[in-house]
Amino acid sequence: MMATSSVVHLKGKHLLTLADFTGEEIEYLLKEAVKLKAKQKNKEPHPYLKGKTLAMIFEKASTRTRVSFEVGMHQLGGHALFLSKNDIQMGRGETIQDTAKILSGYVDGIMIRTFAHDIVEQLAAHSSIPIINGLTDDFHPCQVLADLLTIYEEKGYLAGNKLAYIGDGNNMAHSLMIGCAKVGIDCSIAAPIGYEPQASIVEKAKQIAADTGAVIHVTNDPKAAVHHADFVYTDVWASMGWEAEQQTREKAFAAYQVNQALMSYAKPNAGFLHCLPAHRGEEVTADIIDGPQSLVFQEAENRLHVQKALLAALLA
Ligand code: CP
Ligand code: NVA
């Protein structure tokens, strides 16, 4: 059952990881995203953030996150500022603390994409406005909100689905485990030896799952993970910041490609998901990502709709 808006008060909160929100809050955001998507398609104005400004700090590259947040703020009647690390004094050593305090005096929220997760934690600790994690080395919560919205659109329900994630135990694996655990989706992760998700985050996801009945499982066997899955997810083998390991990782991950053979272990017509950008012929074959089971473009578009719901809830 999806939550009703009466139980949800997200104004002023941070989103550093999906552990910050309850399952009800996540489901509320998905419901709001469905409404906002319909308004957008029907060209109905929805200026819930008139006069509000979002600062967007980027220390890594982005297509989807940058464009969806910027366009989302515009569609909500607000404004977004793109601040690359080279444009602001943080890139020249101004402290996170000072940056947090200064920006808190100018804007209504900050979205940040950076490396170490403790940078967003420090930003949150020293700001008086909501901080949204737009990807760190450890988490990518906004992507998982879009993934959950896509699952909900496809199936009409969240709890009771099974998602299999194949590949690197990275920010996506971590956020998928937490997000799935919150809403009752079983999540099986298959990663090569040495590339498993962080044990403390697996433990946290299992604790969260104890309340929703979701099963969180980590294995080195991709076929076991994919068995009977409703959705199969993968991500690049070398994330941003790990490019120097590309060749070593290509060898380590060779048996973890999502292809027709691996998809045959999932449920018939299981959906294929990928946060993008993708490397066809590496983590996924072109026939899968460009084939009938792929949901990746719907998933990417959903970044816009669910982040608009998030922005409206946190900043309005
Ligand atoms: N999925 C995602 O976050 O894409 P970008 O790196 O293009 O923002
Ligand atoms: N794991 C990838 C996700 C990109 C959206 C990275 O961190 O580069």
Side-chain angles (χ1 to χ4, degrees):
M1 181 66 90
M2 296 287 268
T4 58
S5 56
S6 59
V7 295
V8 169
H9 304 283
L10 284 168
K11 187 170 164 48
K13 276 199 167 193
H14 303 301
L15 174 56
L16 307 191
T17 84
L18 288 173
D20 295 338
F21 290 177
T22 64
E24 281 180 331
E25 287 167 342
I26 292 170
E27 291 181 1
Y28 164 80
L29 290 176
L30 303 183
K31 261 183 34 174
E32 291 299 301
V34 169
K35 289 186 209 160
L36 285 167
K37 188 169 181 174
K39 283 187 198 287
Q40 180 62 22
K41 302 281 173 202
N42 295 331
K43 301 196 183 333
E44 270 177 60
H46 42 281
Y48 305 142
L49 293 184
K50 200 165 183 310
K52 304 273 183 182
T53 304
L54 178 75
M56 308 191 300
I57 302 175
F58 280 91
E59 296 203 84
K60 290 176 176 171
S62 170
T63 297
R64 282 144 288 268
T65 305
R66 190 246 165 115
V67 177
S68 55
F69 269 104
E70 188 162 339
V71 169
M73 279 303 289
H74 174 72
Q75 291 177 355
L76 289 165
H79 181 64
L81 285 171
F82 174 71
L83 306 171
S84 94
K85 71 170 176 199
N86 300 325
D87 297 333
I88 56 173
Q89 299 287 11
M90 224 175 95
R92 293 178 58 248
E94 184 162 27
T95 65
I96 311 287
Q97 288 90 323
D98 287 359
T99 306
K101 287 179 191 155
I102 303 302
L103 290 179
S104 294
Y106 296 143
V107 300
D108 302 284
I110 303 173
M111 190 280 292
I112 177 164
R113 165 167 288 197
T114 187
F115 291 88
H117 189 70
D118 74 350
I119 295 176
V120 297
E121 291 176 337
Q122 283 182 51
L123 201 59
H126 295 278
S127 75
S128 57
I129 54 175
I131 303 300
I132 299 171
N133 176 1
L135 181 146
T136 61
D137 290 343
D138 292 340
F139 296 101
H140 196 3
C142 294
Q143 178 65 50
V144 172
L145 288 176
D147 302 336
L148 295 177
L149 177 57
T150 309
I151 290 171
Y152 179 62
E153 285 177 333
E154 285 303 296
K155 299 293 276 278
Y157 59 92
L158 295 169
N161 282 292
K162 176 182 173 181
L163 181 142
Y165 172 92
I166 310 301
D168 192 14
N170 61 11
N171 43 14
M172 282 315 315
H174 294 155
S175 283
L176 283 165
M177 282 190 301
I178 303 270
C180 287
K182 284 275 180 185
V183 299
I185 295 178
D186 293 344
C187 182
S188 284
I189 307 279
I193 293 170
Y195 296 92
E196 295 94 345
Q198 290 173 31
S200 61
I201 299 173
V202 177
E203 194 45 44
K204 172 98 184 162
K206 286 185 176 173
Q207 281 167 12
I208 293 168
D211 287 338
T212 60
V215 176
I216 305 297
H217 181 234
V218 179
T219 174
N220 302 118
D221 180 352
K223 289 175 193 150
V226 166
H227 181 69
H228 246 69
D230 298 278
F231 296 91
V232 178
Y233 202 118
T234 191
D235 185 14
V236 292
W237 292 340
S239 285
M240 289 182 278
W242 299 91
E243 291 85 352
E245 293 189 5
Q246 176 70 28
Q247 286 184 343
T248 322
R249 284 168 174 260
E250 279 175 23
K251 291 194 191 85
F253 286 82
Y256 291 78
Q257 184 186 63
V258 176
N259 50 32
Q260 290 287 2
L262 188 59
M263 286 298 281
S264 72
Y265 291 88
K267 283 191 182 156
N269 302 318
F272 172 74
L273 298 164
H274 192 310
C275 54
L276 306 179
H279 294 162
R280 288 167 176 78
E282 290 183 28
E283 75 273 11
V284 60
T285 51
D287 59 337
I288 297 296
I289 193 168
D290 299 319
Q293 287 170 266
S294 179
L295 300 167
V296 299
F297 297 109
Q298 177 184 342
E299 181 187 5
E301 184 191 313
N302 281 338
R303 293 289 304 274
L304 171 69
H305 307 298
V306 84
Q307 286 163 196
K308 282 167 69 181
L310 176 70
L311 289 164
L314 301 186
L315 308 188

